Amino acid sequence: MWELKGWIKQQESNMLGLIETLVNIDSGSYIKEGIDKVGNVLSGEYAKIGFETEVHEQQKLGNNLLIRHPEAVNPEILLIAHMDTVFGEGTVAGRPFSREGDYAYGPGVIDMKASHATTLYALKALMESGSEAFKNVELVLNTDEEIGSIASRELIEQVAKTKKYALILEPAQNGNLVSERKGGGKYFLKVHGKSAHAGIEPENGISAIEELARKILKLHALTDWEKGINVNVGLISGGTSVNTIAPFATAAIDVRIETWEDGDTVDLAIKEICSYSEIPGTRLELTGNITRPAWNLTAEAEALIAIITEEGQKIGLELLHEKSGGGSDANLTSFAEIPSIDGLGPVGADAHQESEYLYIPSLAERTLLLANVIERLSSK
Ligand SMILES: [Zn+2]
């Protein structure tokens, strides 16, 4: 669809305008008001092209959106893009959207505000070209991907089940597609001990910090580089003062695994380690679990990759695919056994960092690629 190329290129400044609007709304995962604002902007944009939004309201987190064209009948393609970022309230005030030559900056610009622009404009491009393929898609715009999609998981899995393909619009690091991702989860361990003055009666105290320290060694010993299992206690806290035997201590534990089976094994091992005390008199409380099953490449997904790389070649893009250590909603769609591919968003890097950027020339390319892939998957 060469005629689309020119049309899309002409839309670049409109796309950047939308990205600027979205970036300039603080929408960290816990900022419900901000995320709902982002949701309103986007559902407004989709309404302009005749799409309807079903709002899945949530009490504390932002509302998830399910969007489709009213004439869509059993759409086969699920598109997923998250609206939350990792940045807290006030980030925009400090460093709003900015542009320098071919690069754009700002909180969430590449992860993944820009993806909302390419997705919307890919559908607009299809309409512009006279294609009906826009009726073959359903979109989930969720609000908690950066915190593990725990609340949107049910919606994603439920919608995925009725689809043939899942296209996830996470950004493209180095331009590559993502075909596999590690899975993982988070755990929180709380240790209770007994306080006592460290000078006057230390023998009457039971140190929660010592108990935790011993558990950390055991937890870290679960790491197995060869198998790609990583268990990391990334945060600890505890105690009341330097001269008091610590009455409590806590640890937050991050787990990454490469297969579903390893997820079960590590989950059991963590629960076992935290099921007993090393030091008599301490008590342990463990919460958490594996929230993202590992995503491994299947033959069906390989066939989908072949189609996408072919469509890439047609427009001069050499697309490679890679395995990523980070999780995404593709872990969930693949768990629902739907051929999934990720990294279809625009090109950029440094997600979750201040230096995060979008490479602007990729906007038009990735929009065209997405439009062509949707068209191809819809033509029988
Ligand atoms: Zn993301």
Side-chain angles (χ1 to χ4, degrees):
M1 291 191 283
W2 281 103
E3 70 280 8
L4 279 183
K5 195 179 180 182
W7 184 85
I8 290 171
K9 193 73 194 158
Q10 284 166 19
Q11 306 304 312
E12 195 180 85
S13 61
N14 289 336
M15 279 193 247
L16 278 168
L18 175 60
I19 295 167
E20 176 167 2
T21 302
L22 297 176
V23 167
N24 285 342
I25 302 169
D26 278 319
S27 62
S29 309
Y30 297 105
I31 310 174
K32 177 173 170 62
E33 207 193 325
I35 298 186
D36 287 345
K37 246 186 228 170
V38 169
N40 285 339
V41 170
L42 289 170
S43 59
E45 290 296 324
Y46 281 102
K48 284 184 205 162
I49 57 168
F51 278 59
E52 288 174 350
T53 300
E54 193 179 298
V55 179
H56 290 246
E57 300 223 3
Q58 299 202 93
Q59 283 285 309
K60 287 194 179 135
L61 297 173
N63 299 331
N64 293 310
L65 307 180
L66 188 60
I67 300 175
R68 60 197 269 179
H69 195 272
E71 288 164 30
V73 182
N74 303 323
E76 295 170 319
I77 303 169
L78 170 60
L79 302 177
I80 304 181
H82 65 83
M83 298 187 286
D84 58 323
T85 72
V86 297
F87 301 104
E89 191 82 62
T91 309
V92 168
R95 49 181 189 93
F97 176 89
S98 66
R99 183 186 172 166
E100 238 183 272
D102 279 344
Y103 298 88
Y105 304 89
V109 67
I110 193 66
D111 187 13
M112 56 189 292
K113 304 266 168 106
S115 301
H116 290 288
T118 56
T119 306
L120 174 72
Y121 279 83
L123 296 174
K124 284 191 183 195
L126 287 170
M127 291 176 140
E128 189 69 22
S129 76
S131 161
E132 298 268 292
F134 64 87
K135 296 179 190 170
N136 198 28
V137 302
E138 190 160 30
L139 300 98
V140 170
L141 307 188
N142 59 336
T143 59
D144 61 347
E145 194 276 340
E146 297 293 1
I147 50 172
S149 299
I150 294 168
S152 58
R153 181 172 184 169
E154 204 185 313
L155 174 67
I156 289 171
E157 290 183 345
Q158 181 198 322
V159 178
K161 273 181 194 137
T162 63
K163 301 291 177 288
K164 261 175 93 174
Y165 312 100
L167 307 179
I168 319 299
L169 284 309
E170 290 285 349
Q173 301 270 359
N174 322 311
N176 290 351
L177 301 169
V178 180
S179 54
E180 293 188 89
R181 283 181 184 275
K182 280 193 172 189
K186 286 181 181 59
Y187 295 80
F188 190 74
L189 175 61
K190 197 167 185 184
V191 181
H192 303 269
K194 186 169 174 284
S195 66
H197 193 291
I200 300 169
E201 43 151 19
E203 66 282 4
N204 287 335
I206 305 171
S207 174
I209 286 181
E210 184 181 341
E211 172 73 21
L212 180 64
R214 295 192 191 191
K215 291 303 184 192
I216 290 171
L217 295 177
K218 290 195 168 164
L219 291 166
H220 272 209
L222 295 174
T223 290
D224 183 334
W225 298 116
E226 246 161 55
K227 283 187 164 174
I229 297 171
N230 193 43
V231 178
N232 176 56
V233 176
L235 288 172
I236 55 165
S237 69
T240 50
S241 76
V242 68
N243 56 353
T244 304
I245 307 294
F248 66 85
T250 63
I253 307 152
D254 180 276
V255 175
R256 307 286 164 147
I257 42 110
E258 284 192 8
T259 66
W260 297 359
E261 297 76 28
D262 286 347
D264 290 343
T265 313
V266 174
D267 181 66
L268 277 176
I270 290 174
K271 284 174 180 159
E272 153 69 17
I273 288 170
C274 300
S275 68
Y276 64 95
S277 307
E278 312 275 340
I279 299 172
T282 57
R283 189 165 57 80
L284 285 75
E285 272 176 78
L286 179 75
T287 51
N289 49 39
I290 299 288
T291 47
R292 276 187 177 132
W295 171 29
N296 302 124
L297 191 56
T298 60
E300 290 84 1
E302 268 182 288
L304 180 56
I305 291 170
I307 290 173
I308 297 171
T309 41
E310 212 178 288
E311 288 306 317
Q313 273 160 5
K314 287 184 196 165
I315 58 170
L317 290 177
E318 284 304 322
L319 295 171
L320 301 171
H321 62 98
E322 64 181 27
K323 178 171 189 156
S324 167
S328 84
D329 290 323
N331 293 63
L332 303 181
T333 55
S334 67
F335 188 67
E337 295 184 17
I338 309 306
S340 307
I341 193 79
D342 197 355
L344 278 162
V347 180
D350 292 0
H352 300 191
Q353 300 167 58
E354 267 191 41
S355 51
E356 173 182 10
Y357 66 83
L358 156 72
Y359 180 57
I360 295 170
S362 72
L363 282 176
E365 277 173 1
R366 290 282 166 154
T367 302
L368 180 61
L369 175 68
L370 184 60
N372 288 352
V373 166
I374 292 171
E375 168 70 17
R376 168 86 175 269
L377 295 177
S378 306
S379 57
K380 299 283 148 41

